[in-house]
Amino acid sequence: MKVIKAVEDLNSAKHIILPFAQDTVDFELISQITGIQGKPDFQGKFKQINTLPSVDGTKVLYLVGLGTGKHLSERHEAFRWISHKRNRAWQDHITLYLDHLEEDDLYAAIYGLVLSKYDLGAYKTDDKTKNAFLNAEVECFVYSRHFNEELALEARAAARTVNAIKALVDAPANIKTPEYLANWAVDSAKRFGFSTKVFDKEMLEQGGFQALLAVGQGSRFEPRLIQMEYKPETDGDYPTLALVGKGITFDTGGLSIKPSDNMHHMKSDMGGAAAVLGTMELVAKLKLPIHLIGVVASAENAVDANSLKPGDIINSYSGKTIEVIDTDAEGRLVLADAINYAIKEFNPDKVIDLATLTGSAIGTLGYTAAAMFSNNEDMTDALLDIGYETHERVWQLPLFDDFKSDLHSDVADVRNYSGKPIAGAITAAKFLEVFTEDHPAWLHLDIAGVAFGSSSYAKMQCATGYGVRLLTEYIKSLS
């Protein structure tokens, strides 16, 4: 959106979005705007839409349902939905009538409208498939006594970043290589003010990132480790948070190959890396008071004569040896190197890693929440609350030591897979814990079920943008 500003009257408004919570519809207000007498068929149910032209033909009013209290955290979806359904008519500007709502609804409205600008068909060549609203910079005006320009601009910045990482996750693997992710990070850093360092294959070999190299050794696309760092412009005693993301740009499963039916979805196996990249960008945009580290371990898990084999024993950045039972449990291998590096190199106060790691997390929580594991109660409590507030929900699963035996290896320090068809997300988290150097504030999010999936806005499965708002709001809470 090109302009977001307050207006004091509706004289020049052509397209007016008027939202109401369920059963709070002000029919007198609707009549004042449209000149229509009576009560239209509208109750304010979540994502309900009713379009009303004014009597004099100068305006169109779009009634949008915000639902009940249980929909508070996802009200942005109501605004995204009205834009998805009605945006073809919005060629120049729209007006949000929010005078009767609270300031938080301003954020939800702008965030949802900008989310609707995401173009899943970016690689189509037929111009007729391009939506005018997607390409146009529509001006947005707000009629509200609660207008907060800073909040509106923050909402727009957040949504634009989320759209950018959705494009990353949805990009095909022949384009989105580890080098492509690294270049994306470098470009973002230059534009928004944080630093990057990219480890190529030679640097990874010199640095001892043996687990990351092992996963990528079967691919023609060399692995990369992407290190990012953001510091506030002013000196101060800021908390240090390290974010670590799994960046598998395509996952065949390696020699433990996946079934073919849904393998094309494995371009999304870098959803954790996308969340880290997006959070780095948004924090820098908002200039938040945090010392933020981002580490992304990126590789393609391909099938080749050089591929990692079940039964291989590999080394790792930590110095611990790993017996590879299943080459499709590769995400935890690259994370082992990245987590250990982030902790040893930066000694952060807190560490959070994110990964589309296990089908077990989906089996446990479906597509509604990320599986959360941590040894720090303050972090889990905060993420749980913020997850509800942002509708990027998490749910804690245990890290009981009972599961340590599943990682026992007779031939190496640890093995990467238990071989059991149970507790897969838990044993994966226990594996990562081995490489945390007993850090007292580490949290792992398995986002396999929430980073990519079915959508009301597409006919195919696609990226959700999960993690950016969750992490950014958590960072705000630290300061």
Side-chain angles (χ1 to χ4, degrees):
M1 289 186 177
K2 188 176 181 181
V3 177
I4 302 172
K5 64 181 181 181
V7 292
E8 296 180 356
D9 60 62
L10 301 177
N11 292 334
S12 61
K14 296 179 181 179
H15 304 280
I16 304 169
I17 298 174
L18 177 57
F20 288 107
Q22 190 166 334
D23 299 327
T24 66
V25 183
D26 187 342
F27 292 104
E28 184 177 343
L29 175 60
I30 294 171
S31 179
Q32 290 174 4
I33 296 174
T34 63
I36 298 173
Q37 302 302 312
K39 296 182 178 180
D41 182 19
F42 182 76
Q43 300 80 38
K45 295 178 181 178
F46 186 56
K47 295 170 74 171
Q48 183 183 6
I49 298 172
N50 195 327
T51 304
L52 301 173
S54 64
V55 170
D56 62 9
T58 62
K59 295 176 173 56
V60 180
L61 183 65
Y62 304 91
L63 301 177
V64 183
L66 301 181
T68 62
K70 69 179 181 180
H71 299 111
L72 278 174
S73 66
E74 53 178 337
R75 280 189 169 185
H76 61 275
E77 284 295 327
F79 295 96
R80 183 182 177 192
W81 186 244
I82 179 66
S83 178
H84 177 70
K85 289 295 186 180
R86 298 289 190 269
N87 65 54
R88 291 181 185 275
W90 304 344
Q91 298 299 320
D92 46 13
H93 71 270
I94 56 174
T95 302
L96 285 166
Y97 191 107
L98 304 177
D99 197 49
H100 57 306
L101 297 178
E102 300 300 321
E103 193 174 78
D104 286 349
D105 290 302
L106 171 65
Y107 187 102
I110 301 299
Y111 185 71
L113 289 172
V114 178
L115 283 183
S116 72
K117 299 271 283 182
Y118 175 59
D119 183 8
L120 185 59
Y123 297 97
K124 289 186 176 183
T125 58
D126 184 358
D127 288 339
K128 292 180 181 179
T129 66
K130 298 295 184 181
N131 190 307
F133 179 69
L134 290 173
N135 294 320
E137 284 286 3
V138 177
E139 294 182 332
C140 180
F141 300 97
V142 180
Y143 184 92
S144 173
R145 74 191 77 181
H146 304 298
F147 182 72
N148 181 329
E149 184 177 16
E150 184 178 351
L151 187 67
L153 293 176
E154 179 181 332
R156 182 176 67 177
R160 284 180 167 176
T161 295
V162 170
N163 285 346
I165 71 155
K166 285 163 65 176
L168 263 184
V169 175
D170 285 329
N174 61 320
I175 293 174
K176 180 184 58 190
T177 64
E179 184 178 12
Y180 183 95
L181 284 189
N183 290 339
W184 194 98
V186 170
D187 179 65
S188 177
K190 288 179 180 177
R191 288 189 293 135
F192 299 109
F194 58 95
S195 64
T196 54
K197 178 181 179 181
V198 178
F199 291 71
D200 60 19
K201 183 179 179 182
E202 182 178 352
M203 294 169 68
L204 292 173
E205 290 171 343
Q206 293 173 351
F209 294 90
Q210 295 302 313
L212 173 55
L213 287 163
V215 171
Q217 69 190 34
S219 173
R220 65 189 178 97
F221 302 117
E222 295 181 351
R224 294 288 187 270
L225 186 104
I226 308 162
Q227 173 190 307
M228 298 160 283
E229 186 171 13
Y230 163 80
K231 291 182 179 180
E233 294 176 353
T234 57
D235 293 333
D237 186 17
Y238 301 107
T240 301
L241 171 66
L243 301 177
V244 182
K246 171 189 171 185
I248 299 299
T249 55
F250 194 81
D251 184 17
T252 65
L255 293 181
S256 305
I257 197 162
K258 292 178 179 291
S260 62
D261 290 351
N262 292 307
M263 194 190 292
H264 58 289
H265 293 151
M266 288 300 101
K267 64 183 181 180
S268 69
D269 209 19
M270 37 62 68
V276 172
L277 291 167
T279 304
M280 290 294 308
E281 178 172 297
L282 184 55
V283 166
K285 281 182 181 180
L286 301 180
K287 301 185 184 302
L288 297 183
I290 184 80
H291 179 197
L292 186 62
I293 308 300
V295 179
V296 167
S298 185
E300 181 182 74
N301 189 23
V303 178
D304 182 82
N306 295 322
S307 293
L308 188 65
K309 301 179 295 297
D312 282 357
I313 298 174
I314 61 174
N315 213 317
S316 66
Y317 182 85
S318 71
K320 293 182 174 67
T321 56
I322 304 167
E323 181 185 10
V324 178
I325 302 299
D326 189 335
T327 63
D328 194 23
E330 86 300 327
R332 65 200 70 180
L333 298 179
V334 303
L335 281 176
D337 274 1
I339 291 170
N340 198 256
Y341 172 77
I343 290 171
K344 287 181 177 177
E345 183 71 13
F346 295 99
N347 190 28
D349 300 316
K350 301 177 188 296
V351 183
I352 299 176
D353 75 82
L354 301 93
T356 49
L357 205 60
T358 68
S360 173
I362 302 175
T364 304
L365 298 170
Y367 301 96
T368 61
M372 175 174 63
F373 304 83
S374 183
N375 57 2
N376 187 287
E377 187 175 347
D378 290 341
M379 294 179 74
T380 56
D381 288 348
L383 266 291
L384 190 65
D385 289 343
I386 293 168
Y388 281 124
E389 293 168 4
T390 60
H391 205 65
E392 294 192 348
R393 292 166 292 184
V394 300
W395 194 257
Q396 188 173 10
L397 296 179
L399 279 173
F400 299 147
D401 279 344
D402 306 56
F403 296 98
K404 272 188 174 180
S405 60
D406 289 333
L407 302 175
H408 172 77
S409 170
D410 287 333
V411 294
D413 295 325
V414 65
R415 61 177 176 174
N416 78 328
Y417 180 61
S418 69
K420 299 178 181 179
I422 57 172
I426 298 173
T427 54
K430 291 299 290 184
F431 176 87
L432 296 179
E433 188 181 36
V434 172
F435 300 90
T436 63
E437 302 292 327
D438 295 321
H439 195 286
W442 161 69
L443 186 142
H444 162 61
L445 292 175
D446 189 334
I447 63 173
V450 290
F452 190 86
S454 300
S455 170
S456 302
Y457 308 95
K459 295 179 180 179
M460 58 183 283
Q461 292 190 23
C462 55
T464 66
Y466 182 95
V468 173
R469 281 201 68 201
L470 176 72
L471 294 173
T472 302
E473 293 301 321
Y474 175 66
I475 288 167
K476 288 181 182 179
S477 75
L478 296 179
S479 55

PDB file of all heavy atoms in Angstrom, residues 191-209:
ATOM      1  N   ARG A 191      19.747  -3.617   2.527  1.00  0.00           N
ATOM      2  CA  ARG A 191      18.606  -2.708   2.447  1.00  0.00           C
ATOM      3  C   ARG A 191      18.117  -2.255   3.816  1.00  0.00           C
ATOM      4  O   ARG A 191      17.623  -1.138   3.969  1.00  0.00           O
ATOM      5  CB  ARG A 191      17.456  -3.367   1.688  1.00  0.00           C
ATOM      6  CG  ARG A 191      17.712  -3.495   0.185  1.00  0.00           C
ATOM      7  CD  ARG A 191      16.481  -3.953  -0.566  1.00  0.00           C
ATOM      8  NE  ARG A 191      16.120  -5.324  -0.202  1.00  0.00           N
ATOM      9  CZ  ARG A 191      14.884  -5.713   0.063  1.00  0.00           C
ATOM     10  NH1 ARG A 191      13.898  -4.836   0.062  1.00  0.00           N
ATOM     11  NH2 ARG A 191      14.627  -6.977   0.351  1.00  0.00           N
ATOM     12  N   PHE A 192      18.275  -3.121   4.834  1.00  0.00           N
ATOM     13  CA  PHE A 192      17.621  -2.820   6.102  1.00  0.00           C
ATOM     14  C   PHE A 192      18.581  -2.656   7.285  1.00  0.00           C
ATOM     15  O   PHE A 192      18.142  -2.341   8.380  1.00  0.00           O
ATOM     16  CB  PHE A 192      16.568  -3.884   6.416  1.00  0.00           C
ATOM     17  CG  PHE A 192      15.496  -3.952   5.366  1.00  0.00           C
ATOM     18  CD1 PHE A 192      15.422  -5.024   4.497  1.00  0.00           C
ATOM     19  CD2 PHE A 192      14.596  -2.915   5.222  1.00  0.00           C
ATOM     20  CE1 PHE A 192      14.451  -5.077   3.511  1.00  0.00           C
ATOM     21  CE2 PHE A 192      13.615  -2.953   4.241  1.00  0.00           C
ATOM     22  CZ  PHE A 192      13.543  -4.038   3.381  1.00  0.00           C
ATOM     23  N   GLY A 193      19.873  -2.857   7.079  1.00  0.00           N
ATOM     24  CA  GLY A 193      20.825  -2.454   8.093  1.00  0.00           C
ATOM     25  C   GLY A 193      21.224  -3.502   9.100  1.00  0.00           C
ATOM     26  O   GLY A 193      21.202  -3.252  10.295  1.00  0.00           O
ATOM     27  N   PHE A 194      21.612  -4.676   8.635  1.00  0.00           N
ATOM     28  CA  PHE A 194      22.270  -5.646   9.506  1.00  0.00           C
ATOM     29  C   PHE A 194      23.394  -6.298   8.709  1.00  0.00           C
ATOM     30  O   PHE A 194      23.506  -6.102   7.499  1.00  0.00           O
ATOM     31  CB  PHE A 194      21.286  -6.680  10.074  1.00  0.00           C
ATOM     32  CG  PHE A 194      20.523  -7.492   9.053  1.00  0.00           C
ATOM     33  CD1 PHE A 194      20.976  -8.737   8.646  1.00  0.00           C
ATOM     34  CD2 PHE A 194      19.332  -7.022   8.521  1.00  0.00           C
ATOM     35  CE1 PHE A 194      20.267  -9.502   7.726  1.00  0.00           C
ATOM     36  CE2 PHE A 194      18.606  -7.770   7.600  1.00  0.00           C
ATOM     37  CZ  PHE A 194      19.078  -9.011   7.203  1.00  0.00           C
ATOM     38  N   SER A 195      24.257  -7.022   9.387  1.00  0.00           N
ATOM     39  CA  SER A 195      25.436  -7.578   8.725  1.00  0.00           C
ATOM     40  C   SER A 195      25.238  -9.057   8.400  1.00  0.00           C
ATOM     41  O   SER A 195      24.453  -9.751   9.051  1.00  0.00           O
ATOM     42  CB  SER A 195      26.671  -7.408   9.611  1.00  0.00           C
ATOM     43  OG  SER A 195      26.538  -8.159  10.808  1.00  0.00           O
ATOM     44  N   THR A 196      25.949  -9.518   7.395  1.00  0.00           N
ATOM     45  CA  THR A 196      25.902 -10.934   7.025  1.00  0.00           C
ATOM     46  C   THR A 196      27.309 -11.453   6.740  1.00  0.00           C
ATOM     47  O   THR A 196      28.198 -10.707   6.327  1.00  0.00           O
ATOM     48  CB  THR A 196      25.052 -11.168   5.760  1.00  0.00           C
ATOM     49  OG1 THR A 196      25.528 -10.325   4.713  1.00  0.00           O
ATOM     50  CG2 THR A 196      23.582 -10.898   6.002  1.00  0.00           C
ATOM     51  N   LYS A 197      27.446 -12.731   6.967  1.00  0.00           N
ATOM     52  CA  LYS A 197      28.657 -13.448   6.580  1.00  0.00           C
ATOM     53  C   LYS A 197      28.213 -14.802   6.047  1.00  0.00           C
ATOM     54  O   LYS A 197      27.469 -15.521   6.721  1.00  0.00           O
ATOM     55  CB  LYS A 197      29.590 -13.636   7.778  1.00  0.00           C
ATOM     56  CG  LYS A 197      30.867 -14.421   7.456  1.00  0.00           C
ATOM     57  CD  LYS A 197      31.740 -14.586   8.698  1.00  0.00           C
ATOM     58  CE  LYS A 197      33.004 -15.383   8.401  1.00  0.00           C
ATOM     59  NZ  LYS A 197      33.848 -15.567   9.624  1.00  0.00           N
ATOM     60  N   VAL A 198      28.633 -15.134   4.847  1.00  0.00           N
ATOM     61  CA  VAL A 198      28.222 -16.382   4.214  1.00  0.00           C
ATOM     62  C   VAL A 198      29.411 -17.333   4.135  1.00  0.00           C
ATOM     63  O   VAL A 198      30.467 -16.981   3.601  1.00  0.00           O
ATOM     64  CB  VAL A 198      27.656 -16.135   2.803  1.00  0.00           C
ATOM     65  CG1 VAL A 198      27.291 -17.460   2.139  1.00  0.00           C
ATOM     66  CG2 VAL A 198      26.439 -15.215   2.868  1.00  0.00           C
ATOM     67  N   PHE A 199      29.239 -18.533   4.685  1.00  0.00           N
ATOM     68  CA  PHE A 199      30.268 -19.572   4.656  1.00  0.00           C
ATOM     69  C   PHE A 199      30.035 -20.446   3.427  1.00  0.00           C
ATOM     70  O   PHE A 199      29.015 -21.144   3.340  1.00  0.00           O
ATOM     71  CB  PHE A 199      30.193 -20.438   5.912  1.00  0.00           C
ATOM     72  CG  PHE A 199      30.586 -19.742   7.190  1.00  0.00           C
ATOM     73  CD1 PHE A 199      29.766 -18.774   7.753  1.00  0.00           C
ATOM     74  CD2 PHE A 199      31.762 -20.073   7.845  1.00  0.00           C
ATOM     75  CE1 PHE A 199      30.113 -18.139   8.932  1.00  0.00           C
ATOM     76  CE2 PHE A 199      32.118 -19.446   9.021  1.00  0.00           C
ATOM     77  CZ  PHE A 199      31.292 -18.474   9.567  1.00  0.00           C
ATOM     78  N   ASP A 200      30.968 -20.410   2.470  1.00  0.00           N
ATOM     79  CA  ASP A 200      30.867 -21.320   1.334  1.00  0.00           C
ATOM     80  C   ASP A 200      31.467 -22.677   1.713  1.00  0.00           C
ATOM     81  O   ASP A 200      31.863 -22.896   2.868  1.00  0.00           O
ATOM     82  CB  ASP A 200      31.541 -20.727   0.100  1.00  0.00           C
ATOM     83  CG  ASP A 200      33.036 -20.448   0.300  1.00  0.00           C
ATOM     84  OD1 ASP A 200      33.642 -21.018   1.240  1.00  0.00           O
ATOM     85  OD2 ASP A 200      33.599 -19.659  -0.481  1.00  0.00           O
ATOM     86  N   LYS A 201      31.528 -23.577   0.758  1.00  0.00           N
ATOM     87  CA  LYS A 201      31.963 -24.941   1.062  1.00  0.00           C
ATOM     88  C   LYS A 201      33.370 -24.974   1.650  1.00  0.00           C
ATOM     89  O   LYS A 201      33.633 -25.693   2.626  1.00  0.00           O
ATOM     90  CB  LYS A 201      31.910 -25.808  -0.199  1.00  0.00           C
ATOM     91  CG  LYS A 201      32.274 -27.268   0.053  1.00  0.00           C
ATOM     92  CD  LYS A 201      32.178 -28.095  -1.222  1.00  0.00           C
ATOM     93  CE  LYS A 201      32.578 -29.545  -0.949  1.00  0.00           C
ATOM     94  NZ  LYS A 201      32.539 -30.354  -2.200  1.00  0.00           N
ATOM     95  N   GLU A 202      34.281 -24.195   1.083  1.00  0.00           N
ATOM     96  CA  GLU A 202      35.656 -24.184   1.577  1.00  0.00           C
ATOM     97  C   GLU A 202      35.712 -23.681   3.018  1.00  0.00           C
ATOM     98  O   GLU A 202      36.412 -24.242   3.871  1.00  0.00           O
ATOM     99  CB  GLU A 202      36.530 -23.316   0.678  1.00  0.00           C
ATOM    100  CG  GLU A 202      37.997 -23.289   1.091  1.00  0.00           C
ATOM    101  CD  GLU A 202      38.854 -22.452   0.165  1.00  0.00           C
ATOM    102  OE1 GLU A 202      38.342 -22.005  -0.883  1.00  0.00           O
ATOM    103  OE2 GLU A 202      40.034 -22.233   0.496  1.00  0.00           O
ATOM    104  N   MET A 203      34.952 -22.644   3.313  1.00  0.00           N
ATOM    105  CA  MET A 203      34.927 -22.104   4.667  1.00  0.00           C
ATOM    106  C   MET A 203      34.278 -23.083   5.644  1.00  0.00           C
ATOM    107  O   MET A 203      34.688 -23.184   6.805  1.00  0.00           O
ATOM    108  CB  MET A 203      34.180 -20.764   4.671  1.00  0.00           C
ATOM    109  CG  MET A 203      34.883 -19.662   3.884  1.00  0.00           C
ATOM    110  SD  MET A 203      33.834 -18.201   3.655  1.00  0.00           S
ATOM    111  CE  MET A 203      33.715 -17.583   5.344  1.00  0.00           C
ATOM    112  N   LEU A 204      33.257 -23.802   5.171  1.00  0.00           N
ATOM    113  CA  LEU A 204      32.612 -24.815   6.022  1.00  0.00           C
ATOM    114  C   LEU A 204      33.589 -25.940   6.355  1.00  0.00           C
ATOM    115  O   LEU A 204      33.635 -26.433   7.490  1.00  0.00           O
ATOM    116  CB  LEU A 204      31.378 -25.380   5.323  1.00  0.00           C
ATOM    117  CG  LEU A 204      30.194 -24.422   5.139  1.00  0.00           C
ATOM    118  CD1 LEU A 204      29.112 -25.069   4.290  1.00  0.00           C
ATOM    119  CD2 LEU A 204      29.623 -24.003   6.488  1.00  0.00           C
ATOM    120  N   GLU A 205      34.382 -26.335   5.368  1.00  0.00           N
ATOM    121  CA  GLU A 205      35.385 -27.377   5.602  1.00  0.00           C
ATOM    122  C   GLU A 205      36.434 -26.908   6.602  1.00  0.00           C
ATOM    123  O   GLU A 205      36.809 -27.644   7.527  1.00  0.00           O
ATOM    124  CB  GLU A 205      36.031 -27.771   4.278  1.00  0.00           C
ATOM    125  CG  GLU A 205      35.095 -28.531   3.340  1.00  0.00           C
ATOM    126  CD  GLU A 205      35.683 -28.723   1.956  1.00  0.00           C
ATOM    127  OE1 GLU A 205      36.651 -28.004   1.604  1.00  0.00           O
ATOM    128  OE2 GLU A 205      35.169 -29.583   1.216  1.00  0.00           O
ATOM    129  N   GLN A 206      36.886 -25.684   6.446  1.00  0.00           N
ATOM    130  CA  GLN A 206      37.886 -25.138   7.356  1.00  0.00           C
ATOM    131  C   GLN A 206      37.323 -24.953   8.760  1.00  0.00           C
ATOM    132  O   GLN A 206      38.035 -25.112   9.750  1.00  0.00           O
ATOM    133  CB  GLN A 206      38.401 -23.795   6.814  1.00  0.00           C
ATOM    134  CG  GLN A 206      39.206 -23.911   5.532  1.00  0.00           C
ATOM    135  CD  GLN A 206      39.554 -22.555   4.939  1.00  0.00           C
ATOM    136  OE1 GLN A 206      39.059 -21.518   5.385  1.00  0.00           O
ATOM    137  NE2 GLN A 206      40.386 -22.564   3.900  1.00  0.00           N
ATOM    138  N   GLY A 207      36.033 -24.635   8.843  1.00  0.00           N
ATOM    139  CA  GLY A 207      35.401 -24.384  10.134  1.00  0.00           C
ATOM    140  C   GLY A 207      34.954 -25.630  10.865  1.00  0.00           C
ATOM    141  O   GLY A 207      34.597 -25.563  12.045  1.00  0.00           O
ATOM    142  N   GLY A 208      34.923 -26.760  10.179  1.00  0.00           N
ATOM    143  CA  GLY A 208      34.540 -28.008  10.825  1.00  0.00           C
ATOM    144  C   GLY A 208      33.041 -28.266  10.879  1.00  0.00           C
ATOM    145  O   GLY A 208      32.560 -28.989  11.764  1.00  0.00           O
ATOM    146  N   PHE A 209      32.305 -27.746   9.923  1.00  0.00           N
ATOM    147  CA  PHE A 209      30.845 -27.963   9.871  1.00  0.00           C
ATOM    148  C   PHE A 209      30.556 -29.278   9.134  1.00  0.00           C
ATOM    149  O   PHE A 209      29.933 -29.300   8.070  1.00  0.00           O
ATOM    150  CB  PHE A 209      30.169 -26.785   9.171  1.00  0.00           C
ATOM    151  CG  PHE A 209      30.275 -25.487   9.918  1.00  0.00           C
ATOM    152  CD1 PHE A 209      31.353 -24.628   9.691  1.00  0.00           C
ATOM    153  CD2 PHE A 209      29.313 -25.108  10.838  1.00  0.00           C
ATOM    154  CE1 PHE A 209      31.460 -23.418  10.370  1.00  0.00           C
ATOM    155  CE2 PHE A 209      29.408 -23.903  11.524  1.00  0.00           C
ATOM    156  CZ  PHE A 209      30.490 -23.055  11.295  1.00  0.00           C
TER     157      PHE A 209
END
